[in-house]
Structure formats: structure tokens, C-alpha cells
Amino acid sequence: FALQMVVGVAVGVLGAHALLQLVRRVPLPSEALHPVRSLLGAGALFGLASVLHGSGFLAVFVAGVVLGQARSPYRLEVRRFHAALASLGEVVAFAFLGLTVDLHVLARSDVWLPGLVLGLVLALVIRPVLGTPLLVGSGLSRGERAFVLLTGLKGAVPLLLGSLLLPEAHGSRLYGVVVVVVLVSVLLQGTAVPALARRLGVGIRDKELREPYPQH
């Protein structure tokens, strides 16, 4: 597992720099092709990491972080494209959840109880303990750091990865535990975000949606 993570990080970092040079040096005939090229690049990094027995998901994630901080042509258009694609992916993932989850499995005490405990431990213990050292020197206030550590919501990715357990022995039970963890995160952590922000002094404002064209 550790080797998979190392390979994934290495492919992500090196691949991101290679893609950045490609974007800067190789022009395209249309600006609409830049988001498509970035999507193909993500697929290529995922495949390369998988062939090298690394984590393709981690490689793409790391590459996205590196590229997101770099200056590149049509950066705003690429970001909008992937934001829309991510929103679509979340919708598909939760629709997939509705098609795969068995409510009878979720009602079992050996499913919902471990899921509830694990969800609370992840939110209140594991994430704060592991995340605190990473925020040292970040420049965030104490309240902002606490907000980051307590609001790490679980959603589409755990569901998709958990679905890989379904063909295995006891896969339905393990997948049910994952679903309960996600539900605990969304229902408890998600609904507590506004109150927690006020309590910790973190300002939150609604994002205004701008009309693409003026109204007549």
C-alpha cells in the first residue's frame, strides 16, 4: 500500500510538470480543446500510475493540485470545465448509491453501529490528529484551522471506492458500513458547518451566481 502511494505521488508530480510544459509549448487551434486535453492528460496519468502498480486516483489528485497552482493558458476555462464535470460526477455517484445500497443491510446492527462509530471517530479524532501537523505554518487563525479539521466531508469518492468491495466476501456488509460513514458525515458534519463557522469566527458568505448575459 505504501509503495502504491509513493508511486502515485511521483507520477502525479512528474506528470503534472510534463503536462504543464505541454500546455505551454504546444498550442491548440481552439480554446475549447484545452479542457479536453487536460481531461485526456488526467486519464493518461491514471493509466500510467496503474501500470506502475501505483494509485491512479492519487496521481491525478496530486497532478491537479500542482497544475492548479501553476500559471497556464486558459486556466479559468479549464477550471470551469472540471468544476462542472465534478458536479456531474457527484450526481452520478449518488445516483449509483441509490441503485446499489440495500436498505435491509443498512438496518443491521453490525452495519450501522460500526459505521456510526467509525464516522464519528474519523470526524472528531483521526482527521484532527492527522491534519493538525499539516496546517502548521499555514497562516490560518486558530478558528480557521479548527474549522478545516472538523469539516472534512465524505462523499462520492468513498462510495465509488467502497463499491469495489461488493464482489468480495462480506462485501455488502462492508459497503454498507461505508455508506453509513458517508451518511453520518453528510448529515452531521454537513448540517453543522454554518453553526461551527459562527462558533469559530469563520466568515461564510453565499456565492453570488452571475448571469452570463445581461437581462433585457
Side-chain angles (χ1 to χ4, degrees), residues 81-173:
F81 173 81
H82 286 287
L85 196 62
S87 299
L88 177 61
E90 291 178 356
V91 173
V92 172
F94 280 97
F96 177 78
L97 168 65
L99 295 174
T100 56
V101 67
D102 189 343
L103 297 180
H104 296 289
V105 173
L106 296 184
R108 290 164 44 182
S109 60
D110 62 340
V111 172
W112 68 263
L113 185 56
L116 177 61
V117 173
L118 183 57
L120 294 176
V121 170
L122 283 172
L124 303 177
V125 180
I126 296 178
R127 180 180 173 89
V129 170
L130 296 181
T132 298
L134 301 178
L135 296 179
V136 174
S138 62
L140 300 176
S141 67
R142 181 178 300 178
E144 290 171 337
R145 289 198 299 268
F147 183 78
V148 171
L149 295 173
L150 294 174
T151 55
L153 305 182
K154 287 77 181 172
V157 173
L159 293 176
L160 294 177
L161 295 179
S163 65
L164 300 177
L165 298 170
L166 288 174
E168 305 297 331
H170 307 289
S172 60
R173 174 179 175 272

Side-chain angles (χ1 to χ4, degrees), residues 52-103:
L52 297 176
H53 304 289
S55 172
F57 291 104
L58 184 58
V60 173
F61 175 80
V62 171
V65 172
V66 175
L67 290 174
Q69 303 300 319
R71 298 184 62 181
S72 58
Y74 299 100
R75 177 181 174 185
L76 182 58
E77 286 76 7
V78 172
R79 180 172 296 181
R80 286 176 176 172
F81 173 81
H82 286 287
L85 196 62
S87 299
L88 177 61
E90 291 178 356
V91 173
V92 172
F94 280 97
F96 177 78
L97 168 65
L99 295 174
T100 56
V101 67
D102 189 343
L103 297 180

